[in-house]
Amino acid sequence: MKTENILLCAPTCTLKELNNLFIELTEKNCNQHCKQCYIDFPMNKKIKDFIHIDKIKEALEQTQSAPLNCIYLTGAEPMTHPDFNSILRLCLKRTNVCICTNGSFINEKKARFLKKVENESKYSILFQLPMNHFNELKNDEVRSRGSFRQVIHAIKNLNKYDFYIILCITNYYKEPKKQMLTEFLKVLENTGIHMEQDNIKINEFWQKSNTQEDLQEIKGSLDCENSRILTSKGIYTCPFLANDYRGRMGSDFSNYSKRIPLETNFCMTCIKNKEQMFAINKNLFKD
Ligand code: SF4
C-alpha cells in the first residue's frame, strides 16, 4: 500500500469569532446553468427548496452576542426566494448585508427599490457579482451565454444608486492575477464603469476532483476562521461545504462545532488562495 498520498493528520481550523454569517436561501433554485458552478447538482428554477424565514429568525436570535460584520445572502440564486425582501429587511436590522447574486434580477427599478430598503436601515447593502474573465466570450464560455453583459448591466444600475460592489473573479483560466486585474479595470472603464482595485477580488479556481497534492502550510486567512453558513439542513463551515457532511457543524446555532479538519480538496484551494474566498475584507466595515 502506498502511504505518501494519505493524509495521516489533517490540519484543523478553529472558529475565532463569528463575524460573517452566510445564509443559503435556496440550495438548488437558480435561473442560470453555469458550467463551473461549485455546487454539484443540476440547478433548476422549478425546485422550491427555499429556507423558511423562521429558521433565519431563530439563527439571528441564537447568534445575538456574535460580533457580525456582515450577513451574506447566498444560494444558488438568493433573489429567487419568494420572501427575499422580508429576509433582507430582517437581516438589515442586525448588520450589513451582502447579496451574492448573478445579477440577473437587478434592473433599474430593483436597484431603486433596494436603495429605499437600505435607507430604512442604519446598515448597508453590498453586492458580490461573479465573473470569470474580462473577455466576454471566455467569460460566457464557463458561465452562461449573456452573463457578462448581464453583470455589466447590473453594475451600471447599482452604481446609479451608489451601492458598494465587489466583482468576484474566479480565475478559471489560471492567468496571472495582476494581469487579470489590469485588464478587468481597462475593460470596465471602456464600458463606462469606474472601479477601484479593492472592488475586484480574484480567487483561485477551486479543486473539486481528487488531487495528489499535499496540503501546504497555511499562510493566509481562511473563511472558516470567522464564518459559518446556515442552510435549511443545518449549520456548515463555509459555502464550499454547505450541505456536505464533511462540513457539518450542527443542526442550529445553540450548539455547534467550532473546529473543522481541513481535509477536502476545497480546503486545498482556500489554503492556496491565501485570503478568504467568500468573505469581504473586514476593514471595509470599520466605520
Ligand atoms: S473549504 Fe475553505 S473555508 Fe471551507 S472548511 Fe475548507 S479551508 Fe475552511
Side-chain angles (χ1 to χ4, degrees):
M1 183 201 249
K2 284 190 179 176
T3 54
E4 62 265 31
N5 297 322
I6 295 175
L7 277 173
L8 293 174
C9 185
T12 58
C13 178
T14 305
L15 183 77
K16 290 179 182 158
E17 61 178 15
L18 186 61
N19 301 136
N20 304 302
L21 172 60
F22 290 80
I23 304 178
E24 186 189 73
L25 299 197
T26 164
E27 185 184 355
K28 300 178 185 175
N29 195 298
C30 189
N31 55 343
Q32 291 191 344
H33 301 270
C34 300
K35 284 182 215 155
Q36 51 75 53
C37 185
Y38 63 84
I39 304 172
D40 268 333
F41 31 75
M43 297 292 152
N44 192 323
K45 54 185 170 185
K46 291 191 184 126
I47 298 173
K48 309 292 179 210
D49 64 349
F50 306 109
I51 192 169
H52 199 282
I53 191 165
D54 288 347
K55 204 151 185 153
I56 299 174
K57 282 182 189 161
E58 184 191 62
L60 292 177
E61 272 163 31
Q62 288 171 344
T63 57
Q64 233 165 19
S65 58
L68 291 185
N69 291 329
C70 190
I71 295 174
Y72 299 74
L73 302 181
T74 74
E77 173 49 53
M79 294 184 85
T80 60
H81 197 298
D83 296 329
F84 179 80
N85 295 338
S86 310
I87 293 170
L88 177 61
R89 282 193 167 102
L90 173 70
C91 296
L92 276 172
K93 283 186 188 153
R94 174 66 187 278
T95 186
N96 304 295
V97 176
C98 178
I99 304 175
C100 308
T101 173
N102 60 30
S104 56
F105 290 88
I106 308 199
N107 54 23
E108 207 266 344
K109 196 173 156 202
K110 189 76 185 178
R112 188 170 1 115
F113 170 76
L114 291 169
K115 187 44 84 173
K116 203 172 136 248
V117 174
E118 187 188 56
N119 287 341
E120 293 164 7
S121 164
K122 62 175 177 174
Y123 296 108
S124 304
I125 301 179
L126 302 90
F127 288 84
Q128 286 203 21
L129 295 163
M131 270 200 179
N132 282 83
H133 205 272
F134 51 83
N135 176 290
E136 184 175 345
L137 288 178
K138 282 178 113 174
N139 182 79
D140 289 1
E141 204 175 289
V142 281
R143 296 200 64 79
S144 56
R145 194 187 289 182
S147 73
F148 185 91
R149 284 172 192 233
Q150 182 180 285
V151 171
I152 296 289
H153 183 67
I155 296 174
K156 285 185 175 171
N157 287 323
L158 293 171
N159 268 349
K160 198 167 166 190
Y161 291 93
D162 209 20
F163 282 109
Y164 194 87
I165 304 165
I166 295 178
L167 200 53
C168 293
I169 317 295
T170 303
N171 195 359
Y172 179 83
Y173 295 99
K174 298 188 168 58
E175 293 182 15
K177 283 191 178 183
K178 214 171 161 191
Q179 187 190 330
M180 286 277 279
L181 183 64
T182 313
E183 291 301 324
F184 256 108
L185 290 171
K186 236 191 269 170
V187 168
L188 289 169
E189 205 72 54
N190 290 342
T191 58
I193 297 169
H194 176 74
M195 271 199 168
E196 302 292 337
Q197 287 194 12
D198 286 351
N199 296 92
I200 300 185
K201 189 171 181 336
I202 302 177
N203 281 336
E204 295 282 346
F205 183 64
W206 42 80
Q207 293 276 5
K208 259 187 194 175
S209 54
N210 282 339
T211 160
Q212 301 291 308
E213 289 174 85
D214 278 333
L215 279 168
Q216 304 167 355
E217 197 190 333
I218 303 168
K219 289 209 177 105
S221 168
L222 304 171
D223 284 277
C224 44
E225 287 173 11
N226 307 94
S227 314
R228 286 296 179 258
I229 182 165
L230 168 75
T231 82
S232 59
K233 294 176 181 160
I235 314 298
Y236 295 82
T237 48
C238 65
F240 272 146
L241 296 178
N243 308 311
D244 182 324
Y245 71 95
R246 297 170 300 175
R248 187 164 175 89
M249 297 282 103
S251 55
D252 61 36
F253 281 106
S254 63
N255 181 17
Y256 69 107
S257 169
K258 312 281 186 303
R259 205 150 182 236
I260 169 93
L262 306 183
E263 58 190 358
T264 73
N265 293 315
F266 282 129
C267 299
M268 208 160 317
T269 312
C270 292
I271 291 167
K272 272 192 200 164
N273 199 60
K274 297 196 176 68
E275 58 186 67
Q276 299 194 349
M277 303 212 37
F278 297 97
I280 294 169
N281 188 333
K282 60 175 187 263
N283 295 331
L284 186 68
F285 301 109
K286 280 186 189 156
D287 296 328

